[in-house]
């Protein structure tokens, strides 16, 4: 009699253990399938930028358009740099704008629009050498920090110069307007050699 009771008790314990194990396993499965994160982080894939176009207006000879085109991206071919003129007038202030394109698409995709939409996550950094006096960003993002799609460039007296433009993704904002101060990742960059004339 004692043996039958102990066997029944043992079977009851095994059933309870099995049921608890099933409930625990079911809970784990349900929790792993549940949507705990109501607002998951959106993965923002890096855009392909093949072409950078800088337009400078304000000189007596009309607009100067500088273009860097790199259709093979990280491939072996260097970017092709072209310009409607390789010179700017000395002691002149130009109004500038910049465009970013993906020309692997047909028609070309205007990445500038995405930079404008995600302006708090982007910044165009300008640096120069030689006879360029100053470069000042004239537009801001939604938080009032410099964006850099529009700018003013002032030239000094005659001489050689270079203009480097760099689009940074997720820079620290606000910053001091330098690549080091901005941090973040480089989405696109180009350097243009320019002659400043009298």
């Amino acid at each position: 009699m004692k043996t039958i009771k102990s066997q029944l008790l043992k079977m009851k314990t095994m059933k309870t253990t099995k049921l608890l194990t099933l409930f625990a396993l079911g809970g784990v499965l349900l929790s792993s399938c549940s949507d705990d994160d109501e607002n998951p982080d959106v993965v923002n894939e890096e855009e392909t930028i093949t072409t950078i176009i800088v337009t400078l207006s304000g000189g007596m000879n009309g607009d100067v358009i500088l273009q860097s085109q790199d259709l093979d991206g990280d491939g072996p071919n260097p970017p092709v740099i072209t310009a409607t003129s390789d010179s700017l007038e000395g002691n002149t202030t130009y109004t500038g704008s910049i465009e970013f394109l993906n020309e692997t698409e047909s028609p070309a995709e205007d990445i500038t629009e995405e930079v404008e939409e995600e302006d708090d996550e982007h910044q165009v950094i300008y640096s120069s050498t030689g006879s360029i006096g100053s470069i000042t960003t004239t537009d801001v993002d939604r938080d009032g920090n410099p964006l850099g799609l529009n700018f003013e460039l002032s030239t000094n007296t005659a001489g050689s110069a270079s203009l480097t433009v760099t689009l940074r993704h997720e820079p620290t904002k606000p910053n001091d307007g330098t690549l080091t101060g901005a941090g973040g990742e480089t989405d696109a960059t180009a350097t243009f050699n320019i002659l400043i004339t009298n």
Side-chain angles (χ1 to χ4, degrees):
M1 188 79 167
K2 205 172 190 181
T3 308
I4 293 175
K5 274 188 180 180
S6 68
Q7 284 181 343
L8 286 174
L9 185 60
K10 199 180 213 181
M11 286 174 60
K12 191 174 180 181
T13 305
M14 285 175 60
K15 270 188 183 180
T16 304
T17 304
K18 283 182 182 178
L19 282 174
L20 288 174
T21 302
L22 285 174
F23 281 129
L25 183 59
V28 168
L29 289 174
L30 285 176
S31 67
S32 68
C33 293
S34 72
D35 188 10
D36 289 338
D37 193 353
E38 299 279 325
N39 300 310
D41 291 339
V42 176
V43 175
N44 191 359
E45 291 185 20
E46 188 178 314
E47 293 292 340
T48 299
I49 298 173
T50 62
T51 308
I52 299 171
I53 302 170
V54 176
T55 303
L56 298 168
S57 305
M60 292 177 62
N61 297 325
D63 290 354
V64 174
I65 299 171
L66 310 171
Q67 178 176 291
S68 173
Q69 186 181 54
D70 191 4
L71 296 178
D72 72 344
D74 293 331
N77 299 322
V80 175
I81 306 291
T82 57
T84 55
S85 172
D86 63 354
S87 64
L88 299 177
E89 297 164 35
N91 300 307
T92 303
T93 298
Y94 289 85
T95 300
S97 63
I98 190 164
E99 295 175 82
F100 300 98
L101 303 176
N102 174 7
E103 292 190 292
T104 62
E105 302 284 331
S106 183
E109 181 183 7
D110 187 355
I111 305 299
T112 317
E113 293 175 359
E114 182 175 321
V115 173
E116 289 174 323
E117 288 169 11
E118 299 173 359
D119 60 4
D120 59 328
E121 297 178 10
H122 293 92
Q123 184 175 355
V124 183
I125 306 290
Y126 296 91
S127 60
S128 63
T129 63
S131 294
I132 293 175
S134 65
I135 304 168
T136 307
T137 296
T138 58
D139 59 350
V140 295
D141 66 16
R142 68 192 75 185
D143 298 319
N145 295 307
L147 177 57
L149 292 175
N150 299 295
F151 62 98
E152 284 187 348
L153 181 148
S154 297
T155 60
N156 288 330
T157 55
S160 60
S162 71
L163 170 66
T164 300
V165 297
T166 305
L167 176 61
R168 280 292 170 106
H169 184 74
E170 294 187 348
T172 299
K173 290 191 179 187
N175 59 61
D176 63 3
T178 66
L179 290 175
T180 302
E185 298 291 325
T186 296
D187 281 344
T189 189
T191 298
F192 303 97
N193 293 316
I194 302 165
L195 184 66
I196 310 299
T197 61
N198 283 329

